Amino acid sequence: MMKLFKAALLAAALAMPMTPAISLAATPAGVLVVAQNIDDIVSIDPAEAYEFSSGEYVSQTYDRLVQYDAADTKTLAAGLAKEWTVDDANKTITFTLRDGVKFTSGNPLRAEDVVYSFKRVIVLNKAPAFILTQLGWTPENFDSMVKADGNKVVIKYAGDFASAFVLNVLAARPGSIVDAVTLQANEANGDMGNAWLKSNSAGTGPFVLKAFRPGELINLTANPDYFNGAPAIKGVIIRHVAEAATQQLLLQSGDVDMAKNLTSDQIATLAGSDKVTTETYPQAAVHFLSFNQKTESLTPPAVWDAARYLVNYKGMTDTFLKGQMQTHQAFWPKGFPGSLDETPYSYDPAKAKQILADAGIKTPIKVTLDVINSTPFTDMAQSLQASFAEAGINFDIVPGTGSQVITKYRARTHEAMLLYWGPDFMDPHSNAKAFAYNTDNSDGNYQSTTTWRNSWAVPEELNNETKAALAEADPAKRSAMYVDLQKKVQEKSPIVVMFQAATQVARAKNVEGYVNGATSDFVYYRLVKKN
């Protein structure tokens, strides 16, 4: 039985090893206590952090030159840069930094800090480095591509893409700005402060790291000098609680203010509670059914068209997918600029059968369906098996481990595939390239895209439109182009996007202002209030 601890002693109690059990005290006023599984964290250095939980942490403690802020996660806004000018012809963007911004160390923000931050990502070359290297930056050419000029930072990029794409890249996690002076003082063996930054923070963000103990807790203290306004709460304590049942117990007993990993069944039991409420937030991953174009029976476009009416979308989201997924039928997820949120297809087996008959497609069609052997994927596969059979398309489900399924997918040896896709950074091109582009469909030209992996030789019109959207400089026109691309892929493609993932968060009713955007990078605590 875990020791009882009072609110006034919570911080001290959290400094000790804790085991899940029952506690009776309320959380302290002004501090948000969260129960969450955070054992995925490998590193909290923004140049290395590549996990969901570390993404959340980075957004609390660091800022980018431009960013999607808590107040509006759909609009790219000024971050540490108060303004910027774009020279598309010369592939250059000049950022002017905000005046008076300080790191939580007290050191002033300088253009040199920005240059150092980007350079250390390139030099350290950790998992997320590829996001910045897309801009043509290498250790060899970096000093000529990114330069400090007083309170300005001049960035050059190389590639056939528009400045809007560059801005979204710089708004991604590895674009976080660190305190160069502090890191250089804590450098060890040329690591640019990497080891030190795994247990400390060095940002300008709304919170500063007070303590991080892997597999135990993250303790954040509010930054009263945050340039965008001090957080409404004094701090955030994220307790690692792996078991969903324990999270629910702690929430209902008042020992935490928020539980982030409850199952849909647990969420349902909280309905009607006078102390706890729940929210569902769309996430970035889209789930799809795809047909390998190496399989002759799956090449007729009529099969693709019929398939869109053979998915029992509502049947799944109302039952075993409730709270976990929402119907979404376009490749760019809802909640991001440029998303297509229309869902024109519904389960209609009669219409599907008519489409096949009008096209002269002979049934039954026998197809193997590869699926990851875990919930909810196996449940989804069984639903598809039943609904597609209504039109004479018979799936033989082939379950396998995630690595087995993905290896087969990459080798293009599957027939039908049930999988999901998530963007690496918040720009529509991240998914457009995957779902609407493939100029070389040869077996020897491996591409990490759904189009190539399904052997779909994308029509030239879509390839050209994908390239044009990437190069379009005007943000509004660019978003419109991606919406049009999604409509075309939605209407005619061997890849049937069905759902978008969702997450459910349970919180005490006295907690308001929590923001949970479509990715872990868009989780924000700075607007949270406890009434």
Side-chain angles (χ1 to χ4, degrees), residues 324-493:
Q324 299 181 59
M325 297 188 198
Q326 299 173 340
T327 299
H328 184 72
Q329 297 170 349
F331 64 69
W332 189 235
K334 182 179 180 179
F336 282 8
S339 67
L340 171 65
D341 300 335
E342 298 170 9
T343 54
Y345 303 104
S346 58
Y347 182 46
D348 191 342
K351 185 169 185 175
K353 285 194 283 188
Q354 190 62 54
I355 291 172
L356 294 174
D358 290 346
I361 303 297
K362 295 181 180 180
T363 57
I365 299 173
K366 295 183 179 180
V367 184
T368 58
L369 174 62
D370 284 275
V371 59
I372 296 172
N373 190 23
S374 65
T375 57
F377 306 109
T378 49
D379 295 328
M380 294 168 68
Q382 289 169 6
S383 175
L384 293 171
Q385 185 182 53
S387 61
F388 272 68
E390 293 291 322
I393 300 177
N394 300 325
F395 285 137
D396 178 15
I397 299 174
V398 182
T401 65
S403 60
Q404 288 171 335
V405 170
I406 292 172
T407 297
K408 193 172 183 179
Y409 186 49
R410 289 172 176 171
R412 310 208 289 188
T413 57
H414 64 288
E415 292 184 352
M417 177 68 66
L418 178 62
L419 263 181
Y420 57 93
W421 187 275
D424 287 311
F425 57 99
M426 213 198 83
D427 187 275
H429 182 70
S430 181
N431 279 19
K433 182 179 180 181
F435 286 84
Y437 188 79
N438 182 15
T439 57
D440 184 351
N441 196 43
S442 61
D443 287 338
N445 183 50
Y446 176 80
Q447 297 291 316
S448 296
T449 65
T450 61
T451 51
W452 185 89
R453 290 173 179 177
N454 285 289
S455 309
W456 183 36
V458 175
E460 185 176 2
E461 175 192 2
L462 288 181
N463 284 324
N464 290 339
E465 189 169 347
T466 299
K467 290 189 289 186
L470 177 61
E472 174 57 53
D474 183 271
K477 290 181 180 178
R478 189 167 184 259
S479 289
M481 293 173 75
Y482 282 114
V483 169
D484 185 64
L485 259 178
Q486 288 169 88
K487 287 182 178 179
K488 291 174 179 175
V489 172
Q490 187 183 67
E491 292 170 0
K492 195 72 65 177
S493 165

Side-chain angles (χ1 to χ4, degrees), residues 33-286:
V33 183
V34 181
Q36 182 178 350
N37 187 336
I38 58 171
D39 66 1
D40 61 326
I41 296 179
V42 174
S43 174
I44 57 172
D45 180 344
E48 186 175 17
Y50 201 52
E51 305 80 41
F52 290 110
S53 299
S54 58
E56 288 189 19
Y57 161 80
V58 170
S59 293
Q60 314 316 314
T61 49
Y62 296 89
D63 292 292
R64 288 89 159 175
L65 290 175
V66 291
Q67 56 199 26
Y68 292 85
D69 189 56
D72 182 0
T73 61
K74 295 183 179 181
T75 303
L76 187 66
L80 295 179
K82 63 180 179 181
E83 59 187 17
W84 56 92
T85 57
V86 172
D87 183 347
D88 281 302
N90 292 307
K91 298 184 178 181
T92 302
I93 304 177
T94 301
F95 294 92
T96 302
L97 299 183
R98 291 179 183 269
D99 299 321
V101 177
K102 293 183 179 181
F103 291 100
T104 53
S105 66
N107 293 329
L109 170 70
R110 307 164 303 148
E112 289 80 5
D113 294 300
V114 178
V115 174
Y116 176 83
S117 299
F118 294 160
K119 185 171 185 176
R120 75 185 293 270
V121 173
I122 303 301
V123 172
L124 290 176
N125 196 30
K126 302 293 184 179
F130 76 94
I131 295 174
L132 295 191
T133 60
Q134 292 180 104
L135 303 182
W137 299 349
T138 68
E140 292 74 27
N141 71 10
F142 182 86
D143 290 342
S144 65
M145 301 289 280
V146 182
K147 296 182 178 181
D149 181 13
N151 72 331
K152 300 179 187 296
V153 179
V154 182
I155 289 175
K156 294 182 179 294
Y157 54 94
D160 190 15
F161 41 77
S163 55
F165 173 76
V166 180
L167 291 172
N168 277 329
V169 167
L170 296 178
R173 194 181 310 173
S176 301
I177 307 306
V178 299
D179 182 347
V181 173
T182 295
L183 290 192
Q184 287 166 344
N186 289 280
E187 184 173 315
N189 301 316
D191 73 345
M192 304 185 82
N194 175 248
W196 184 83
L197 212 52
K198 290 182 178 181
S199 57
N200 296 275
S201 64
T204 57
F207 295 93
V208 59
L209 180 65
K210 183 176 181 181
F212 169 54
R213 293 196 288 276
E216 188 178 341
L217 67 82
I218 297 174
N219 192 345
L220 304 173
T221 300
N223 175 10
D225 300 318
Y226 185 53
F227 73 88
N228 215 0
I233 51 176
K234 299 175 182 177
V236 179
I237 298 171
I238 301 172
R239 291 178 50 186
H240 171 61
V241 182
E243 299 81 9
T246 306
Q247 289 192 19
Q248 182 179 3
L249 179 63
L250 291 170
L251 179 65
Q252 291 180 307
S253 64
D255 289 300
V256 300
D257 302 301
M258 185 178 293
K260 299 182 71 174
N261 303 108
L262 301 187
T263 67
S264 56
D265 288 341
Q266 289 175 306
I267 293 289
T269 66
L270 297 175
S273 170
D274 60 346
K275 294 182 179 180
V276 175
T277 188
T278 62
E279 296 283 350
T280 300
Y281 304 95
Q283 296 296 283
V286 294

